[in-house]
Amino acid sequence: MLNKVEGFIIKSIPYGETNKIVTIYSKEAGKITAMARGAKKPASRLAAITQTFTHGFFMIRASRGMGSLEQGELISSVRHIRADLETTTYAGLVVELIDRLTESEQPNAGIFRLLEEAFHAMEEGYDAEAISLFVQWKMLPVAGIHPILHECANCGATEGEFAFSFQQIGFLCHRCFGVDPYIIRLSPTQIKLIRMFYNVPLDQIGKLELKKPTKTFMQKLVSTIYHEQVGIYLKSRKFIEQLERTPELQKPKENPENEG
């Protein structure tokens, strides 16, 4: 039986001399893995459609084991994402996280929409690092983590100074700082950003510009949550850290004039 799904290629690995095994995150069926026979051949009709990040319609023949990808219809080849090394790297982090946190054949319209919005924003030239941060914060509930960000996780206060507690997985007000000796003090801007990353839909943000130290701080927070609470450390992070230590691989950027 042939099934048609809309989705994104989130993983594409060689198999044998001519084949690929592709993982698609689809709107209709969630994560699907399929064999793309002959896709490694340059002249194959499956060669282009099975590249990582590609958005398309896919015809998959179901079977008892792994299905097979019979044909595909391109919606977007996301050329900008693939043309820029930094953008490619952050897109890779997004798909790795989604792959690690989802089970096969469990549809989730929210995850599909988040992936679609993230890739659209990257394709439009928005800050790929900031977009990846949005995805990481918004995927926390999928990982079973529901940080308390609207009030103090200990007393429920909504006013005062706040800090982030990995122990409480949320904010602590200044009256409760003693609950966790390892709190991370937060400025009002940092509090606003954390809430925005977690709560505000990606398509409602606009072209957010953040300074590099701000993005680094936000990344350390969310990476620590995934590492300590979920037990996940993304391989993509290692490559990003290597990229950041290699200035000649980075493109020059203008300093943002504002920070939202």
Side-chain angles (χ1 to χ4, degrees):
M1 181 175 67
L2 278 174
N3 297 313
K4 183 178 181 179
V5 299
E6 178 187 353
F8 292 86
I9 301 287
I10 62 171
K11 186 189 293 184
S12 181
I13 58 176
Y15 184 80
E17 294 184 3
T18 61
N19 307 324
K20 292 181 183 178
I21 295 176
V22 295
T23 303
I24 302 164
Y25 197 88
S26 71
K27 180 188 292 187
E28 296 84 358
K31 187 168 70 176
I32 306 169
T33 301
M35 179 71 71
R37 301 188 186 281
K40 284 177 64 180
K41 297 178 180 178
S44 169
R45 56 191 172 83
L46 297 178
I49 199 74
T50 54
Q51 294 185 65
T52 308
F53 313 136
T54 298
H55 183 197
F57 291 108
F58 303 92
M59 296 294 291
I60 298 174
R61 187 175 299 280
S63 66
R64 290 184 180 179
M66 184 185 301
S68 61
L69 177 61
E70 299 295 316
Q71 60 185 18
E73 178 187 341
L74 189 68
I75 295 175
S76 172
S77 60
V78 289
R79 291 178 182 174
H80 174 78
I81 291 177
R82 272 200 283 268
D84 179 76
L85 176 60
E86 185 176 340
T87 305
T88 299
T89 303
Y90 285 108
L93 186 151
V94 167
V95 296
E96 182 187 357
L97 181 65
I98 289 175
D99 187 31
R100 293 282 298 274
L101 292 180
T102 56
E103 300 293 333
S104 296
E105 299 181 9
Q106 293 188 8
N108 187 311
I111 295 175
F112 181 84
R113 186 166 57 251
L114 179 63
L115 179 57
E116 186 176 38
E117 291 171 355
F119 276 9
H120 177 74
M122 289 185 185
E123 200 52 17
E124 290 294 309
Y126 287 25
D127 185 340
E129 183 176 5
I131 298 303
S132 76
L133 282 167
F134 270 99
V135 174
Q136 291 172 79
W137 281 92
K138 286 177 171 21
M139 286 293 288
L140 283 171
V142 179
I145 304 297
H146 301 271
I148 300 173
L149 305 176
H150 63 289
E151 64 182 13
C152 175
N154 189 58
C155 74
T158 57
E159 302 292 336
E161 295 181 45
F162 285 91
F164 193 88
S165 166
F166 294 110
Q167 182 187 96
Q168 301 293 317
I169 317 181
F171 292 162
L172 287 176
C173 72
H174 63 276
R175 306 167 194 84
C176 301
F177 282 175
V179 170
D180 181 356
Y182 303 107
I183 56 171
I184 307 295
R185 296 286 187 100
L186 300 171
S187 69
T189 298
Q190 288 168 336
I191 292 168
K192 177 184 174 183
L193 280 173
I194 290 170
R195 286 172 171 163
M196 180 179 67
F197 277 133
Y198 186 70
N199 293 313
V200 180
L202 186 50
D203 63 352
Q204 294 182 17
I205 299 301
K207 194 161 187 175
L208 181 71
E209 294 182 333
L210 299 175
K211 295 176 182 176
K212 182 60 180 178
T214 299
K215 291 185 286 189
T216 299
F217 175 80
M218 296 292 290
Q219 183 63 62
K220 285 181 178 178
L221 273 185
V222 75
S223 291
T224 301
I225 296 172
Y226 277 110
H227 185 63
E228 293 187 355
Q229 302 296 332
V230 188
I232 284 180
Y233 186 84
L234 301 174
K235 293 179 182 178
S236 305
R237 283 300 313 160
K238 293 181 182 178
F239 184 77
I240 290 168
E241 289 161 7
Q242 181 181 354
L243 185 64
E244 291 174 342
R245 292 194 299 267
T246 313
E248 59 268 26
L249 294 178
Q250 300 179 39
K251 62 183 178 182
K253 293 185 176 181
E254 298 179 0
N255 292 325
E257 297 179 357
N258 60 74
E259 182 169 319

